[in-house]
Amino acid sequence: MTVAVLCGGVGAARFLSGLAGVHPPTDTVGIVNTADDTVMHGLSISPDIDTITYTLAWAIDPERGWGLSEESWRVMDALARYLPVRPRASGAAATWFKLGDRDLATHLYRTARLAEGATLSEVTAEICRAWGVHQRLLPMCDETVSTVVHLATEDIDVPFQEYFVQRRHAVPVSAVRFAGTDTARPTRAVLTALRGAELVAIAPSNPLVSIGPIRALGGIDELLAARRDSVVAVSPIVGGAALKGPADHMLAELGHEPSVVGVARLYAPIAATLVIDPVDAHHAAAVEAAGMRAIVAESVMSTPAVAHSLASTVLSAVRLPS
Ligand code: FO1
């Protein structure tokens, strides 16, 4: 049985890691948001793909949730020398987005291969192979799609990483858009995986800026809606708070309820089932009123055992042909 998982970063990485304990990795396909991708120092960086790859390779830094463990930062430290001399408008030698010395190798490889004409899908498969990752990771598309965040107070548009990392997602947002979705297309591999998988899971990732860009690609929502009975989402909101990142206040700022009910309203058109944590059990009736079946299961993946059990719950949420 093939399972396809719509993925953002950390939550998806932990979910896929849990799934690996209960389902054959070679029958798992992760479809990964690339609208957080950025270019720093001329290097192409795909944060969600890298977070998932490093997690599945047991190489992620567990505290940060991004980048490699046992990392060193000599290049970043050396870059700081140039900050005082760069012209006012220059973004050169940016040190606010930290690239570890070993992590840099991944971005150097990706950038060189893209410059040779390889697609992001091809390079991602190569990087996964190099790290011994057996799950198939598919970027949502091969074209550039970029999340642009409108900051309410400053009344300006900024690229996602300037909001998320540079401003520590601590400023209010009044709109989000995904530049490039008018021409980008989900790859054939993504469409084939979503059509062929017996079960599609939506990982506990930010519904607006992690799952949102995947849904914004032409045809994805229609495809999921047509098979919604076998689509199972896991809420990234537990007890009204995001497990990681800005999903809770972003939901509120963009007019959604920052709760499992708000998540259910967003996913009801494309998924029949929502897994919610026991602390939200009292919202089960409201989730069902929003159009989704609620399954209550521990979903804070603080240990591998919880991640395994959450993945098992998702697998058993859909009655599959034997
Ligand atoms: N997140 C941070 O909070 N600070 C960083 O300096 C940072 C650098 C970074 C470098 C490579 C990479 O693959 C990811 C990195 N992240 C960093 C994480 C990432 O930007 C976000 O977690 C995601 O975009 C949100 O899913």
Side-chain angles (χ1 to χ4, degrees):
M1 168 180 80
T2 303
V3 177
V5 185
L6 302 193
C7 299
V10 177
R14 292 194 180 142
F15 180 75
L16 283 175
S17 183
L19 189 58
V22 294
H23 190 71
T26 46
D27 289 341
T28 302
V29 185
I31 295 166
V32 188
N33 170 40
T34 55
D36 295 6
D37 288 15
T38 188
V39 174
M40 301 295 296
H41 320 289
L43 299 176
S44 298
I45 299 163
S46 296
D48 287 351
I49 289 174
D50 292 341
T51 295
I52 294 174
T53 305
Y54 294 162
T55 300
L56 294 176
W58 298 98
I60 197 85
D61 181 284
E63 264 83 60
R64 285 194 309 275
W66 55 269
L68 291 164
S69 60
E70 293 167 34
E71 187 57 282
S72 59
W73 306 92
R74 297 191 64 177
V75 173
M76 285 293 110
D77 292 345
L79 264 182
R81 171 187 295 272
Y82 297 99
L83 286 173
V85 300
R86 74 178 183 189
R88 212 175 222 293
S90 171
T95 52
W96 57 267
F97 193 81
K98 303 259 178 278
L99 296 171
D101 299 335
R102 293 199 308 133
D103 184 33
L104 272 166
T106 302
H107 314 307
L108 286 167
Y109 181 78
R110 176 183 295 116
T111 306
R113 289 287 293 123
L114 292 173
E116 287 173 357
T119 63
L120 184 59
S121 299
E122 289 167 338
V123 184
T124 301
E126 290 161 10
I127 291 173
C128 284
R129 212 157 63 239
W131 282 95
V133 168
H134 299 295
Q135 289 88 341
R136 272 178 79 206
L137 295 187
L138 303 176
M140 64 184 199
C141 60
D142 280 328
E143 302 88 348
T144 300
V145 169
S146 306
T147 300
V148 179
V149 178
H150 194 80
L151 305 182
T153 318
E154 295 165 70
D155 194 19
I156 52 166
D157 278 345
V158 294
F160 181 77
Q161 295 299 346
E162 285 189 31
Y163 159 72
F164 192 93
V165 174
Q166 199 171 25
R167 290 173 166 80
R168 297 160 201 247
H169 49 78
V171 289
V173 161
S174 56
V176 165
R177 68 188 163 86
F178 308 118
T181 44
D182 43 350
T183 49
R185 294 283 169 268
T187 63
R188 189 183 293 269
V190 164
L191 293 173
T192 304
L194 287 180
R195 286 193 190 110
E198 278 80 6
L199 188 153
V200 175
I202 302 178
S205 298
N206 186 317
L208 301 175
V209 292
S210 297
I211 305 303
I214 305 175
R215 294 184 64 182
L217 293 174
I220 297 285
D221 254 23
E222 292 77 3
L223 199 159
L224 294 173
R227 57 163 306 167
R228 78 182 280 283
D229 284 352
S230 55
V231 181
V232 182
V234 180
S235 175
I237 300 287
V238 173
L243 294 172
K244 193 159 181 0
D248 46 5
H249 60 87
M250 206 178 227
L251 280 165
E253 287 157 12
L254 296 177
H256 305 280
E257 195 175 308
S259 72
V260 291
V261 182
V263 174
R265 289 188 188 123
L266 286 166
Y267 286 150
I270 56 163
T273 306
L274 184 66
V275 179
I276 63 175
D277 192 78
V279 304
D280 289 310
H282 59 290
H283 284 309
V287 166
E288 308 228 337
M292 295 187 83
R293 176 173 63 128
I295 294 183
V296 178
E298 198 178 343
S299 39
V300 182
M301 293 177 283
S302 45
T303 63
V306 178
H308 290 154
S309 141
L310 178 62
S312 298
T313 299
V314 168
L315 291 181
S316 54
V318 172
R319 187 167 310 168
L320 297 161
S322 46

